[in-house]
Amino acid sequence: MSGPATAQNSAGPALLRRSFRKTFPPAVRGQGAYLWDSEGKQYLDFSGSAAVNFIGHGVAEIVQAMTDQARSLEFVHGTQFTTPIAEQYASELLAFAGDHFRGGAVYFCSGGSEAIETALKLVRQYQVEIGNFGRSQIISREQSYHGATLGAVAISRNKRRREIYRPMVREFSTVTAPYCYRCAYDCTDGCFNCGQEYALEVEAAIAAAAGKIAAVILEPVSGATLGAVVPPSGYLEKVAEICRRHEVLLIADEVMSGVGRTGRNFAVDHWAVKPDIMVTAKGLSSGYAPLGAVIVSQNVVEAIATGSGSFIHGFTYSSHPISLAAGRAVLGYITEHKLVEAADSNRDAAIAGTLKQCLGALGSLKSVGDVRGLGLLWAVEFVSDKSSKAPFPFETNFGGRVAQAATERGLLVYPVQGCANGDCGDHILIAPPAIITESQIDWACEQLAAAIGEASASA
C-alpha cells in the first residue's frame, strides 16, 4: 500500500463486437471529445470508450508528465523500493477521497479487475488479523459486474460474462440490486421504502451465513451491466449501517463511477456513505495509462499494520511509476479545470445538466423505456412495449443495432444486453468526457434519436 506514512461492466454480445471489428478501422488519434480512425472519419466519443475517458483525449500535460517520469525512473519493484511519485500521488488521492480516509493507504495496480482482486484478499486478511477466522464469504448483488479475474467473476453477476467460468469459481450469496424501473417492491412512495426492503436483503444474507461474511461489495451507481441505476434514497445508508452493526466491511466498487464521473469526487459522496474500502480505476487515469487503486480506511490499515505487518499480496506492476505519473497529472487536471463540478447533473449551469436535459427528451421515443443516471454516467433502456416494459427478444440485439446506427453517424455509444433478466433487456451507456460542449451534446442527442428510430424501424 502507498500512503503518506507507508511504503509504498459488460459489453454487448460477441456477435456485435465482431461486427464492430469488421466495420471499425483502428482509431489512430484523438483530441478533446473526438476520435479519428485510420481512414480519417471523425467520431464523437459519447461513452468515454467504456466510461474511461473523463478529461478528454490528447491532453498534452498528461503525456508530458508520463514522459518526464519515464526519463527519471521507468520502473522499480515495490518489494525493493518505494518512489516519490507513489508517495505523492497516494497522499493526494487520499485527500481527494475525503476525511474518512485520513490516515489510510492506497494500493495501486494496473486496472479495475486487479483492484477488485486486491480488495477481496484485503478483507479476508483484515478479518483474520482481528480474529474472525471464519469470515471468508462476500455478499454481492445481482446484475453486478466487478471484473474479469476469477475472484472478480466469482462475485459478479453478469450472466453472459460469468456462465462459462462458473465451474472454476466459488459461489457466494447475492442480493437484489435496487432497480426502480423494474422494482421488486412497492415504489409508490418515491422508492424510499423499497430501498429499505432491498437493504434488508443484505441483513438477511448476513444472518443466513452465520458469521461467515467478510464483506459486502456494491456499485454505488450501477455500471454497464445494469446501466447507471441510481439507488433509492436511504438505501446505501442502510446497507452501511447494517455492515457496521455486523462487523462486515463495505467495499464500494467505484471503478466506473469514481473520480468525478457522477459529479462528486466519488459516487458515495452523494449519500455521505463511508465505505471501509473504495476501488477505482477507469477515470483514475482517464485511459492515459493502465491504472487502478484500492483506497483503504485507517481501521483496515491499522489492523494489518499492528498485526502481521504485511499485506500478503502483490503484482509485478503495482505502483508503476509511469502509470502513477499519468494518474497524478489527471487528478491535477480534474482539480484545475473543475471537472467534478462540470459533471454535476443537478447544477443547471454544468455541462452534465445539459446532458441530463437532452437525454431526458429521448424518453418520448417509442422504443425508449427508461432514461436514468447521474452526473456524466447515463443509460437509455429500450423496450418493445412501454406499458408492459417488455424487453426486445435477445436475438433482435436492439441495443447493438442502435450502437451500429450511431457509429455510422459518427457517434460512439456503449451497447449492453441483459439488464431485464440477465439475457434480455437492451440499453446503451452514455459517459462522455467532462470537457464535452453543449453543441456537441445537442448534435449527439440528435444523432442518437435518429439511430434509435432506425433501429425501431427494422426491429
Side-chain angles (χ1 to χ4, degrees):
M1 296 182 196
S2 292
T6 65
Q8 212 294 333
N9 300 279
S10 175
L15 177 61
L16 174 64
R17 294 198 297 276
R18 285 197 295 270
S19 70
F20 273 15
R21 290 192 185 111
K22 291 176 182 176
T23 59
F24 275 21
V28 293
R29 61 191 177 97
Q31 190 69 40
Y34 290 107
L35 293 167
W36 288 266
D37 65 29
S38 59
E39 296 176 357
K41 182 174 180 177
Q42 177 178 279
Y43 303 89
L44 181 66
D45 189 2
F46 208 38
S47 62
S49 293
V52 173
N53 191 288
F54 185 64
I55 69 169
H57 300 284
V59 177
E61 295 98 305
I62 314 304
V63 178
Q64 187 62 53
M66 296 170 68
T67 302
D68 291 345
Q69 180 60 51
R71 287 196 182 106
S72 171
L73 176 68
E74 84 294 343
F75 176 74
V76 64
H77 200 272
T79 61
Q80 298 168 323
F81 294 96
T82 186
T83 60
I85 187 67
E87 297 296 333
Q88 293 160 358
Y89 182 33
S91 179
E92 292 165 7
L93 190 57
L94 284 169
F96 187 76
D99 288 343
H100 174 63
F101 288 95
R102 188 188 306 273
V106 180
Y107 190 99
F108 291 113
C109 50
S110 298
S113 295
E114 280 191 3
I116 290 291
E117 203 79 6
T118 299
L120 297 180
K121 287 185 176 181
L122 185 59
V123 296
R124 168 58 181 167
Q125 183 168 342
Y126 166 83
Q127 296 290 1
V128 170
E129 298 276 8
I130 66 171
N132 292 332
F133 303 104
R135 292 181 181 262
S136 63
Q137 296 182 17
I138 310 293
I139 294 173
S140 60
R141 304 190 307 184
E142 295 296 325
Q143 297 289 71
S144 64
Y145 182 70
H146 299 290
T149 56
L150 285 177
V153 167
I155 59 167
S156 296
R157 287 301 184 273
N158 179 307
K159 185 175 180 181
R160 197 168 302 119
R161 287 190 169 191
R162 185 175 189 270
E163 198 66 21
I164 190 174
Y165 302 115
R166 284 184 64 187
M168 302 174 69
V169 301
R170 182 178 178 184
E171 294 286 349
F172 293 111
S173 58
T174 58
V175 296
T176 313
Y179 180 16
C180 286
Y181 181 63
R182 300 182 183 277
C183 189
Y185 298 101
D186 178 12
C187 278
T188 56
D189 65 341
C191 294
F192 179 84
N193 283 343
C194 76
Q196 299 302 292
E197 294 284 353
Y198 282 113
L200 289 175
E201 291 188 23
V202 175
E203 186 148 40
I206 292 173
K212 295 180 181 178
I213 301 301
V216 171
I217 186 169
L218 52 77
E219 299 159 291
V221 176
S222 296
T225 295
L226 198 52
V229 169
V230 179
S233 175
Y235 167 76
L236 289 177
E237 298 94 322
K238 183 66 174 179
V239 171
E241 183 273 322
I242 289 168
C243 288
R244 283 193 301 271
R245 184 155 36 85
H246 291 278
E247 298 182 346
V248 169
L249 295 186
L250 177 61
I251 305 170
D253 179 348
E254 298 242 16
V255 168
M256 189 170 282
S257 62
V259 198
R261 174 61 67 182
T262 68
R264 297 291 186 274
N265 290 6
F266 290 92
V268 291
D269 296 339
H270 286 281
W271 300 277
V273 169
K274 298 174 173 59
D276 299 284
I277 295 170
M278 283 198 304
V279 178
T280 191
K282 293 186 182 284
L284 189 64
S285 67
S286 204
Y288 282 78
L291 184 63
V294 182
I295 305 173
V296 188
S297 60
Q298 185 176 17
N299 67 303
V300 177
V301 172
E302 288 184 347
I304 295 174
T306 60
S308 65
S310 176
F311 180 31
I312 307 170
H313 179 63
F315 299 108
T316 298
Y317 290 114
S318 296
S319 294
H320 192 280
I322 298 173
S323 289
L324 298 190
R328 187 177 183 223
V330 165
L331 186 59
Y333 192 90
I334 288 170
T335 303
E336 179 184 355
H337 294 273
K338 300 186 183 330
L339 296 188
V340 177
E341 293 85 344
D344 185 354
S345 55
N346 293 320
R347 292 176 64 240
D348 291 339
I351 197 64
T354 301
L355 178 67
K356 176 182 178 180
Q357 183 178 12
C358 193
L359 289 176
L362 298 176
S364 62
L365 298 178
K366 173 186 174 184
S367 300
V368 173
D370 192 30
V371 179
R372 55 179 177 261
L374 188 63
L376 291 172
L377 183 63
W378 290 81
V380 179
E381 182 172 343
F382 305 111
V383 291
S384 61
D385 181 78
K386 284 197 172 191
S387 59
S388 67
K389 303 180 182 179
F392 284 95
F394 170 78
E395 313 78 49
T396 304
N397 189 17
F398 190 87
R401 290 174 184 268
V402 170
Q404 190 69 60
T407 298
E408 290 167 1
R409 290 170 166 79
L411 181 70
L412 300 179
V413 295
Y414 186 27
V416 189
Q417 277 191 302
C419 62
N421 60 17
D423 291 314
C424 296
D426 292 78
H427 66 271
I428 54 169
L429 199 71
I430 307 296
I435 49 79
I436 195 169
T437 66
E438 185 173 335
S439 62
Q440 288 170 339
I441 289 174
D442 288 342
W443 179 86
C445 289
E446 289 175 5
Q447 303 310 308
L448 184 53
I452 294 169
E454 180 179 324
S456 298
S458 62

